[in-house]
Amino acid sequence: MDARLAKFRIGQVVRHRIFPFRGVIFDVDPTFSNSEEWWLSIPEHIRPRKDQPFYHLLAENDENAYVAYVSEQNLLPDDTGQPVGHPQAALIFESFREGQYKLRPRITH
């Protein structure tokens, strides 16, 4: 499988194409990198291709905040301009401005 360049970027707020949730991207896999069991648990008629970027999101819907793993084909840019209310966003990102989150500097030793 040839990896493609990711359409979305870390810190970008996106929404799911099918399901009613949105989130901020905090990591990207160039192709599917989860378990076969997870992939097979997705109903076949909406199961995404594996040969595309997959995004790790701090996601939220009207009821919960959670971490989601979503294929590029199922994401759209979020055009609300609003931050995500996920409680872990402040741990990963230092600010939100003009619809984009800025990552915190890495701490290394």
Side-chain angles (χ1 to χ4, degrees), residues 8-102:
F8 303 105
R9 63 193 175 282
I10 292 175
Q12 184 174 359
V13 180
V14 292
R15 62 183 175 87
H16 198 279
R17 181 182 302 276
I18 299 169
F19 300 111
F21 71 85
R22 59 196 290 271
V24 58
I25 298 167
F26 69 90
D27 197 8
V28 182
D29 294 334
T31 57
F32 180 79
S33 186
N34 205 332
S35 71
E36 188 70 10
E37 180 181 20
W38 182 91
W39 190 73
L40 292 172
S41 73
I42 301 168
E44 191 172 353
H45 69 283
I46 61 169
R47 192 176 297 149
R49 298 179 330 273
K50 291 182 176 180
D51 65 342
Q52 62 182 310
F54 275 73
Y55 298 83
H56 300 263
L57 308 177
L58 296 178
E60 65 180 1
N61 60 26
D62 290 340
E63 300 162 5
N64 296 311
Y66 51 96
V67 174
Y69 190 64
V70 185
S71 64
E72 187 170 272
Q73 75 186 59
N74 284 321
L75 289 178
L76 297 168
D78 181 84
D79 58 4
T80 65
Q82 297 298 310
V84 173
H86 196 288
Q88 292 178 332
L91 298 174
I92 299 172
F93 301 101
E94 70 177 5
S95 63
F96 177 81
R97 188 171 20 173
E98 299 176 7
Q100 175 75 31
Y101 281 90
K102 181 180 177 190

